[in-house]
Amino acid sequence: MNLRATVTLVFGMFCAGLAQDSSATQEVAIPTALDSAVMQVQPDTAGSPESTASTEESAVSESVEGNNVAENNVAATADCNEAETPYNLPCELMPLWNSMTIKQKAAQMVMVYMTPADFMLKHEFGGYLVMKNHLKDLEKFKKNIETVNREMKIPPVVAVDQEGGRVNRIGNIDPKWERTPSAKAMRKMSEDSIRNIAAQIGQELHKLGINMNLAPVLDPSKDSRGKQSFMEESHRSWGFDTTNAPKVRAFVQGMRESGIICVSKHFPGYDSWTNSDHQIAISATPKKSISKNIAFFKTLANDIPVTMMSSVRFVRVSNRPAVFEPQIVKRARMMSPETVILTDDLWGVSLRAWISGTERVKGKNYPAKDFKKLVQTALTSGNDMFMTTFPKKGVDMINYLSVMALQNAKYRKRVEESCARILKMKHKAGLI
């Protein structure tokens, strides 16, 4: 057992002992003054994003800080039975779980665009999103990551899009990485060659402090009409069906050997020609073709612990974007109950526009009531981890999720089961 695990175990057992001796084991009631600010089924329409978030953050802090909520409290002892732990958590994680407030559990569900270490430490986000510009100053970048990993109670996942080819975040850090093979190029390589190059790139990522790769892309190379898809034209697709599954598995294995967690995307298969990051994207793919595209994800579900949802609207199934459609998220969940379901960027204009019922949104002045609705919709649809490229909105996400969980047992269960999946994923990857 390493030092971090030992300290966590001792501290958790100590906290559990205090909790047993204390009469203050019930949750603190949310102050009445918060009633107008909490998440309801129909979000309120008053207040700016900043003022509403500030009110909720203060209330959540007062309600949760220092209040060790331990429903299903199971001590991590030698006779611990994982079948009896909440959400089948490993016994080694029980001291940590029992020491976490609902706000800390909600924070595990949020992945934000990389920020300075002090901001990350203050809010205890579950993950970072690293972009190419973050890697311009490698010493500053590594120092930031090292500080967070050293001081944060639960180390975050540090994620990057390193697909290869045109999506190459490490291209500027060393001349040897200026050109990395795309998925389309790797489809023509042997499995051993793919595994070797993936391991080499994984080692480079690991040296930087990155532990998650938002790849491979399992979107189809052809749409339902047989035409090359957007992902194929950009050389990002691993193929049309499950034929290349062994080669994708080799890519994932090479990354895993270097300590990198892989993420399959974009479920159930991005086949629209519209860029869903910038405008509402629609696919008329028949249900049968959608099922065929899902087969690629399903074949690799036991190899890849995280799946990212698509923001495309598959109108033969629903008018909702896939990430907000419970039927589609449920199909991702059915592949493996322990898979962590990750959203794409929830601050993307297409998703915000859909929530607001408009064609397009502009700038950062987005209504608080709509952002609350967005967070609630992402949660109730079944997603586990929420990505945002606007860090301050990551703070709002934590506060909204916390208030929802404190107000409603159904939401609390959703927050806890998602947090548990994330913790299990991090534990299996050796992060905690």
Side-chain angles (χ1 to χ4, degrees):
M1 183 180 293
N2 58 31
L3 179 59
R4 180 188 297 275
T6 303
V7 172
T8 301
L9 177 61
V10 173
F11 179 74
M13 294 177 69
F14 173 71
C15 290
L18 287 179
Q20 291 174 357
D21 293 337
S22 171
S23 60
T25 57
Q26 299 299 315
E27 290 184 16
V28 178
I30 295 179
T32 304
L34 183 62
D35 288 349
S36 63
V38 298
M39 170 69 76
Q40 303 295 340
V41 175
Q42 295 298 324
D44 67 83
T45 58
S48 67
E50 292 77 12
S51 63
T52 305
S54 177
T55 301
E56 293 188 351
E57 182 171 13
S58 175
V60 170
S61 178
E62 292 174 5
S63 300
V64 178
E65 193 68 35
N67 182 29
N68 182 11
V69 179
E71 285 186 5
N72 302 315
N73 189 3
V74 180
T77 61
D79 58 352
C80 172
N81 183 352
E82 289 185 14
E84 299 175 357
T85 62
Y87 312 104
N88 296 319
L89 282 161
C91 292
E92 302 94 311
L93 294 182
M94 286 313 303
L96 173 62
W97 179 262
N98 290 335
S99 72
M100 294 174 71
T101 65
I102 196 66
K103 189 173 183 180
Q104 289 172 323
K105 291 172 182 176
Q108 283 300 299
M109 297 175 61
V110 181
M111 176 187 288
V112 299
Y113 184 83
M114 183 177 169
T115 57
D118 57 350
F119 186 80
M120 192 76 177
L121 291 169
K122 178 180 179 181
H123 299 292
E124 302 182 281
F125 298 110
Y128 267 150
L129 176 64
V130 175
M131 303 298 284
K132 200 168 188 175
N133 63 298
H134 289 128
L135 301 177
K136 290 180 179 179
D137 187 338
L138 292 184
E139 290 306 311
K140 180 181 179 181
F141 174 81
K142 288 191 282 189
K143 183 178 180 181
N144 205 38
I145 297 297
E146 289 168 1
T147 300
V148 169
N149 286 337
R150 182 177 64 250
E151 299 184 20
M152 188 173 282
K153 181 177 181 178
I154 304 173
V157 290
V158 183
V160 69
D161 289 283
Q162 184 54 44
E163 301 171 14
R166 300 178 187 179
V167 185
N168 180 25
R169 305 302 190 213
I170 62 173
N172 293 332
I173 68 173
D174 190 303
K176 69 180 179 181
W177 300 121
E178 286 182 2
R179 294 187 179 184
T180 56
S182 66
K184 187 174 184 178
M186 284 188 278
R187 280 162 26 194
K188 301 175 183 178
M189 297 166 59
S190 69
E191 291 173 31
D192 285 342
S193 296
I194 295 170
R195 185 167 53 251
N196 288 336
I197 188 64
Q200 291 175 39
I201 294 172
Q203 289 168 11
E204 191 69 45
L205 297 177
H206 186 75
K207 285 192 297 183
L208 294 171
I210 294 168
N211 53 40
M212 176 176 280
N213 188 4
L214 302 178
V217 171
L218 301 187
D219 302 319
S221 58
K222 299 178 183 178
D223 64 18
S224 59
R225 298 166 297 177
K227 295 183 178 180
Q228 287 194 348
S229 66
F230 169 75
M231 290 298 177
E232 177 68 0
E233 290 289 337
S234 57
H235 299 184
R236 298 172 64 188
S237 172
W238 277 89
F240 182 56
D241 52 28
T242 60
T243 302
N244 288 318
K247 294 187 175 184
V248 178
R249 193 171 284 118
F251 175 86
V252 172
Q253 183 179 344
M255 286 286 168
R256 185 169 55 239
E257 288 171 357
S258 298
I260 306 299
I261 303 163
C262 278
V263 178
S264 61
K265 61 185 186 184
H266 306 81
F267 192 93
Y270 191 123
D271 64 355
S272 170
W273 265 92
T274 306
N275 188 332
S276 62
D277 289 336
H278 304 300
Q279 56 185 307
I280 295 174
I282 296 175
S283 171
T285 301
K287 291 183 179 180
K288 185 175 181 180
S289 295
I290 293 174
S291 294
K292 181 178 180 180
N293 295 339
I294 288 175
F296 204 177
F297 290 86
K298 187 175 181 179
T299 299
L300 293 156
N302 291 330
D303 301 278
I304 306 175
V306 184
T307 293
M308 181 188 291
M309 296 300 300
S310 169
S311 299
V312 174
R313 289 168 57 187
F314 293 88
V315 293
R316 299 289 181 90
V317 177
S318 169
N319 283 323
R320 291 175 169 234
V323 66
F324 292 152
E325 174 47 59
Q327 294 181 63
I328 297 178
V329 178
K330 184 178 180 180
R331 293 192 70 173
R333 173 76 60 225
M334 289 172 63
M335 297 189 305
S336 173
E338 296 301 331
T339 296
V340 172
I341 306 297
L342 172 68
T343 73
D344 208 335
D345 181 20
L346 291 179
W347 192 246
V349 295
S350 68
L351 294 178
R352 288 189 287 141
W354 185 85
I355 287 289
S356 299
T358 60
E359 286 290 326
R360 188 180 296 273
V361 295
K362 296 181 180 180
K364 296 182 178 180
N365 189 24
Y366 189 63
K369 66 180 181 64
D370 288 353
F371 193 68
K372 287 181 183 181
K373 183 180 177 182
L374 183 149
V375 173
Q376 184 186 33
T377 303
L379 181 70
T380 56
S381 298
N383 298 282
D384 296 315
M385 202 166 198
F386 300 0
M387 180 193 294
T388 177
T389 52
F390 190 180
K392 288 184 178 179
K393 287 302 176 184
V395 178
D396 290 355
M397 285 178 174
I398 294 172
N399 293 328
Y400 295 158
L401 289 168
S402 301
V403 172
M404 289 169 64
L406 289 168
Q407 285 277 304
N408 186 301
K410 178 182 71 173
Y411 293 142
R412 183 190 183 94
K413 184 175 185 296
R414 277 290 299 110
V415 168
E416 289 197 334
E417 66 185 9
S418 289
C419 175
R421 286 192 192 100
I422 293 164
L423 292 180
K424 284 187 278 188
M425 177 266 291
K426 289 184 175 183
H427 181 254
K428 189 172 182 179
L431 302 185
I432 55 176

